[in-house]
Amino acid sequence: MSSGTVGSQYRRPLRTDERKGPVVAKFVTIGYGDQDGYDRTDAAVRNEAHAHDARLLEYGAVTGIAGSPVQVRNHDGAGMTVEGGSFMSSALPVAGFSIIEAATIEEAVELVSKTPCAVAQGVVEVWPLQESP
């Protein structure tokens, strides 16, 4: 896809549910990356990745940069404890999160493959979001 072109991959895909009408599949994405990997990536590649993110936002993606996490526990409802820091660890820090819409997980993978974390030496996880009824 050429830079600046909005193709079908940015349109909100619709499926139909006979009972409820149009349904859009949603995916949670978690981007991992660090400043060193970002800086090693060619500026033109980074700029196109940011333009890609801007197009995703324009067509309904919800994105954000990761802040500092806390862990919350309330085992058996007996009392809440809060501890600073992430529960899971990885080789790269969490850089951000998105909720995107796509018809299939394959389409969601294609969409995130052009984002900054994916192109700048990082990785993006794609999780199907199964919303509660």
Side-chain angles (χ1 to χ4, degrees), residues 67-78:
S68 299
V70 296
Q71 300 173 37
V72 179
R73 291 175 178 79
N74 188 4
H75 296 174
D76 298 318

Side-chain angles (χ1 to χ4, degrees), residues 4-63:
T5 302
V6 177
S8 63
Q9 70 184 32
Y10 296 103
R11 294 191 196 115
R12 292 178 181 231
L14 296 178
R15 297 179 308 176
T16 57
D17 179 313
E18 293 174 7
R19 296 164 291 159
K20 299 178 185 175
V23 176
V24 178
K26 292 183 181 174
F27 298 87
V28 174
T29 70
I30 306 170
Y32 300 83
D34 61 13
Q35 191 66 46
D36 181 55
Y38 182 84
D39 291 342
R40 287 188 322 222
T41 303
D42 181 85
V45 172
R46 292 190 321 241
N47 291 341
E48 177 51 35
H50 287 292
H52 177 78
D53 267 6
R55 290 187 296 271
L56 288 174
L57 281 168
E58 184 179 335
Y59 285 89
V62 177
T63 67

Side-chain angles (χ1 to χ4, degrees), residues 109-123:
V109 166
E110 177 63 28
L111 287 171
V112 302
S113 72
K114 297 173 181 80
T115 62
C117 283
V119 302
Q121 319 309 311
V123 64

